[in-house]
Amino acid sequence: MKRDVAIIPFNDRLELVVACDNSGAIGMKPDDQVAVPYEIVSYYSFRVAFMECVSAGAVPFSVVLYNFCGDRAWFSLKEGITKGIRELGLEELSITGSTETNFSLSQSAVGISVLGKREKRKEAPLCLTEQMKVAVIGKPLVGNEVIECNGDVAPLRLFQWFSRQKKVLSIVPVGSKGILYELRELFAAQSLQFSSPLNMEKTAGPSTCFIVVYDAAAEDNIRMRAGRLFHPVQVIT
């Protein structure tokens, strides 16, 4: 499945993958609509970009931070990214970026890009078979829910674990368009219907949940690893 990333040919063997995320009116400025520390803002923005990059099959190697919150916010924003990098055990990821210092905005604004590389490949649509199962890990949350219901957010380290499993055939972070949109995009070559106890049309904010398509033989292991964050999706053909 083609993710919302840029794919750039690098050489005969490799491609560069660029994934990004941004947030606005979330931070510590008086006019922000959601008041949270900048470390949390950048952590969740990094989370989205990282998940998109990895779901496209890439190995991340660098992070770029775009700061429109002022000079004093830089350290906290960088700390949020560093927190995510440490959680993943990927201390080799470099961080660079820039701060807007000529003008001051009345609301916070942050952008983050994650750069990765992968072996060249052709994108092919995924077709569901009887040997496959589908689940959502975590719940869709947005705004203050992300802080208030943090226990329902799929951990970044858990996403990393799923992305490395051979029995996981596809992994898709859920974005602002919701679970149902991502499922329809994932199985665009088939006319399928989906059912889940979760709100499938609700935005998942900073990818607080993700979809996994996996070999049915791995069902017990998948459920055990995800614990209470596991939410099955019934597929109707």
Side-chain angles (χ1 to χ4, degrees):
M1 174 187 177
K2 184 178 180 182
R3 297 302 304 153
D4 189 16
V5 297
I7 308 294
I8 305 165
F10 182 68
N11 56 31
D12 292 340
R13 188 175 61 86
L14 296 176
E15 298 173 321
L16 298 181
V17 175
V18 182
C20 59
D21 184 66
N22 58 64
S23 65
I26 304 173
M28 300 301 293
K29 287 181 177 285
D31 290 338
D32 285 338
Q33 294 182 26
V34 179
V36 293
Y38 286 124
E39 182 177 335
I40 294 177
V41 175
S42 60
Y43 171 82
Y44 278 100
S45 193
F46 164 74
R47 167 195 177 92
V48 175
F50 175 86
M51 291 169 78
E52 284 289 350
C53 188
V54 171
S55 70
V59 177
F61 63 84
S62 188
V63 184
V64 185
L65 168 63
Y66 311 93
N67 170 30
F68 298 89
C69 305
D71 259 342
R72 290 194 296 178
W74 174 265
F75 178 78
S76 294
L77 290 168
K78 187 176 179 182
E79 275 300 297
I81 298 171
T82 301
K83 176 185 174 183
I85 289 174
R86 287 175 182 153
E87 183 179 338
L88 293 161
L90 299 176
E91 282 80 0
E92 68 275 11
L93 277 182
S94 64
I95 304 174
T96 187
S98 178
T99 297
E100 170 59 71
T101 55
N102 292 311
F103 301 97
S104 178
L105 280 66
S106 60
Q107 292 180 309
S108 299
V110 175
I112 289 179
S113 294
V114 173
L115 284 64
K117 55 187 176 182
R118 72 178 191 182
E119 297 282 339
K120 278 190 174 182
R121 68 186 193 189
K122 290 184 179 180
E123 300 290 349
L126 184 65
C127 290
L128 192 73
T129 69
E130 293 182 356
Q131 287 74 43
M132 297 180 188
K133 286 198 172 185
V134 183
V136 175
I137 311 301
K139 289 185 177 180
L141 303 169
V142 67
N144 287 319
E145 292 178 330
V146 178
I147 306 301
E148 296 166 359
C149 306
N150 186 257
D152 292 318
V153 177
L156 197 53
R157 193 66 183 264
L158 184 61
F159 174 88
Q160 183 186 49
W161 181 86
F162 272 94
S163 73
R164 293 175 173 176
Q165 304 308 301
K166 292 182 180 180
K167 295 290 186 179
V168 172
L169 310 174
S170 185
I171 185 166
V172 178
V174 180
S176 59
K177 295 180 180 178
I179 297 166
L180 186 59
Y181 171 84
E182 298 291 0
L183 285 169
R184 286 172 173 167
E185 287 290 297
L186 182 60
F187 297 107
Q190 294 173 286
S191 295
L192 303 172
Q193 294 184 351
F194 307 93
S195 176
S196 169
L198 299 173
N199 183 341
M200 302 227 297
E201 296 186 14
K202 179 182 178 182
T203 173
S207 295
T208 57
C209 62
F210 59 89
I211 296 165
V212 286
V213 181
Y214 57 95
D215 188 324
E219 172 84 3
D220 291 344
N221 192 32
I222 295 293
R223 283 179 174 269
M224 182 179 66
R225 190 72 182 194
R228 68 178 190 83
L229 295 175
F230 181 91
H231 304 282
V233 173
Q234 183 181 5
V235 184
I236 306 166
T237 57

